[in-house]
Amino acid sequence: MDFRLSEEQEALRESVRDFAREAVAPVIAEHYEQHTFPYEIVRQMGKMGLFGLPFPEEHGGMGGDYFALCLALEELARVDSSVAITLEAAVSLGAMPIFRFGTAAQQERWLPKLLSGEALAGFGLTEPGTGSDAGGTQTRAVLDPSTDEWVINGSKAFITNSGTDITALVTVTAVTGTNPDGSKELSTIIVPSGTPGFTVAPAYSKVGWNASDTHELTFDDCRVPAANLLGARGRGFAQFLRILDEGRIAIAALAVGLAQGCVDESVKYAKERQAFGQPIGNYQAIQFKIADMELKAHTARLAYYDAAARMLAGEPFKRQAAIAKLHASTVAVDNAREATQIHGGYGFMNEYPVARFWRDSKILEIGEGTSEVQRMIIARDLGM
Ligand SMILES: Cc1cc2nc3c(=O)[nH]c(=O)nc-3n(C[C@H](O)[C@H](O)[C@H](O)COP(=O)(O)OP(=O)(O)OC[C@H]3O[C@@H](n4cnc5c(N)ncnc54)[C@H](O)[C@@H]3O)c2cc1C
């Protein structure tokens, strides 16, 4: 067993760390406050190759793996989670389904722009009426044989990267029929931005992730060619389960980054802030808080390293990915709360990064499967 990173992995980690500190940190608070999407940061991440990290070079990727993506996400989230989730959703939810399940023509058309960061894609699974229970999907797609087109009707809720100026497409899950056992047949369909009948609602007003892009989408007799079906008809369930299993490792990495960022900020502040004649960091009560925060970030990191290692080795990793996501998101919320506490009143002021971390932490227990859903996955995998 070797938990140390290779030279190449260390170099990636360092370059993303430098980028986050030098290019993201100085401008992100303004984007967050104004609720604006950080196009310039996305452009620079594209130039660094971050959107192509886990994809082969023949598709325009960097030839790395999913763990490389996780390392990058951790370092970005250590400084800011809006930027990190933009990358996570673009890669693991946007480009990955096309890479994993798309036809050669779909890959050729979409992957070069998605992997360079020139364009973004959204992944539309959640609906206004159903999230955890994807079997409750109401969006329907009917094949019109006279035009060889899918006609899509329905809506999707909370879709990341779906309404930016550079969003090229969303993949949406839709009911396309009934399975022999009476259950819904779900399929995934690519809907390019600007398709008539596809409407993007104004951005949500969110508690956190304020510099990331999230919209409700509506499909009203929206027609796309039959060839826009992603993979085989009726494979929608299997496809999103795979995408979400992987995505949980990425979200865990992002959560570890946030948890570690809380440690970074707390150590710095505790050394500077004076109370009762000395830095608050001299008090054991503060030191123990920070020691516990470091312990939590470290153990959560080991959990996602383990899940990623199993996935890359081609072994079953569902349970470990759920454990990593559940643990890391809990730890992120814990650390954000404690970091805010250590900062006292300043922790409640938006100018301090820990205030942003606190607001950004809660969604980690909800998105890409709630903590309850992770527990369901773990229990099921234990045969219950
Ligand atoms: C900012 C943001 C970005 C997002 N981005 C995307 C995206 O890009 N694409 C996308 O498809 N979705 C996206 N989502 C949606 C997200 O994945 C869902 O919100 C999440 O899966 C939970 O679904 P829900 O909101 O419908 O909650 P529900 O499923 O309605 O759950 C409500 C509560 O009930 C609990 N619950 C449900 N079922 C059970 C059960 N059987 N046992 C015990 N408890 C249960 C849940 O854990 C939760 O606490 C995003 C959400 C947000 C807020």
Side-chain angles (χ1 to χ4, degrees), residues 123 125-126 131-132 158-160 209 363 366 368 370 372 376:
F123 176 72
L125 173 65
T126 307
S132 307
F158 313 131
I159 308 307
T160 305
W209 284 0
I363 177 62
I366 297 169
E368 294 200 32
T370 63
E372 291 76 16
M376 282 159 60

Side-chain angles (χ1 to χ4, degrees), residues 53-379:
L53 271 179
F55 301 101
E57 286 167 18
E58 76 220 47
H59 289 299
M62 298 293 284
D65 58 27
Y66 210 82
F67 185 62
L69 170 69
C70 291
L71 289 177
L73 291 171
E74 186 187 330
E75 288 305 324
L76 285 174
R78 208 165 158 175
V79 169
D80 180 67
S81 289
S82 293
V83 171
I85 192 60
T86 298
L87 177 66
E88 193 276 341
V91 175
S92 112
L93 301 179
M96 196 57 88
I98 296 177
F99 170 66
R100 288 225 181 279
F101 315 119
T103 61
Q106 289 165 349
Q107 293 178 341
E108 220 165 279
R109 175 167 177 200
W110 300 112
L111 288 184
K113 349 185 187 188
L114 297 179
L115 274 44
S116 66
E118 190 191 315
L120 298 172
F123 176 72
L125 173 65
T126 307
E127 301 193 349
T130 191
S132 307
D133 176 16
T137 297
Q138 296 291 324
T139 298
R140 299 198 82 83
V142 178
L143 197 57
D144 178 350
S146 65
T147 57
D148 206 23
E149 288 173 322
W150 291 105
V151 186
I152 309 171
N153 280 288
S155 51
K156 296 288 171 181
F158 313 131
I159 308 307
T160 305
N161 289 342
S162 61
T164 71
D165 295 347
I166 55 171
T167 299
L169 66 108
V170 290
T171 49
V172 293
T173 48
V175 181
T176 48
T178 309
N179 291 316
D181 66 359
S183 62
K184 287 174 179 170
E185 177 194 82
L186 278 192
S187 305
T188 314
I189 298 171
I190 297 173
V191 183
S193 298
T195 304
F198 168 25
T199 314
V200 180
Y204 289 98
S205 167
K206 305 190 293 272
V207 169
W209 284 0
N210 284 340
S212 86
D213 179 77
T214 329
H215 301 264
E216 181 169 331
L217 313 176
T218 310
F219 303 90
D220 188 8
D221 281 336
C222 173
R223 288 174 170 268
V224 297
N228 282 24
L229 182 71
L230 189 72
R233 181 171 177 162
R235 295 293 296 158
F237 253 117
Q239 289 171 346
F240 75 69
L241 287 180
R242 168 73 202 205
I243 291 300
L244 292 181
D245 277 342
E246 292 175 358
R248 285 179 185 125
I249 308 177
I251 294 289
L254 194 158
V256 169
L258 188 150
Q260 195 66 54
C262 290
V263 176
D264 298 342
E265 294 299 324
S266 298
V267 169
K268 198 161 60 174
Y269 190 78
K271 285 182 180 168
E272 287 164 6
R273 178 69 176 176
Q274 303 272 328
F276 301 97
Q278 51 185 313
I280 58 169
N282 284 3
Y283 299 115
Q284 204 175 49
I286 300 289
Q287 290 175 4
F288 278 16
K289 270 190 202 299
I290 294 176
D292 284 347
M293 288 161 67
E294 175 66 13
L295 171 137
K296 289 178 178 180
H298 179 71
T299 53
R301 181 177 299 109
L302 294 181
Y304 97 67
Y305 277 22
D306 173 49
R310 285 170 193 269
M311 173 190 157
L312 295 180
E315 294 169 12
F317 65 95
K318 191 183 262 295
R319 186 196 314 172
Q320 287 74 20
I323 289 172
K325 202 267 179 182
L326 174 60
H327 183 49
S329 56
T330 308
V331 157
V333 173
D334 288 351
N335 280 13
R337 189 183 56 246
E338 290 296 42
T340 304
Q341 191 67 20
I342 289 167
H343 279 67
Y346 291 107
F348 205 62
M349 298 298 123
N350 281 326
E351 67 185 277
Y352 280 79
V354 291
R356 189 158 29 89
F357 291 169
W358 189 45
R359 292 168 63 166
D360 289 343
S361 62
K362 184 58 201 167
I363 177 62
L364 298 169
E365 294 185 321
I366 297 169
E368 294 200 32
T370 63
S371 294
E372 291 76 16
V373 166
Q374 306 310 320
R375 289 186 169 90
M376 282 159 60
I377 293 169
I378 296 164

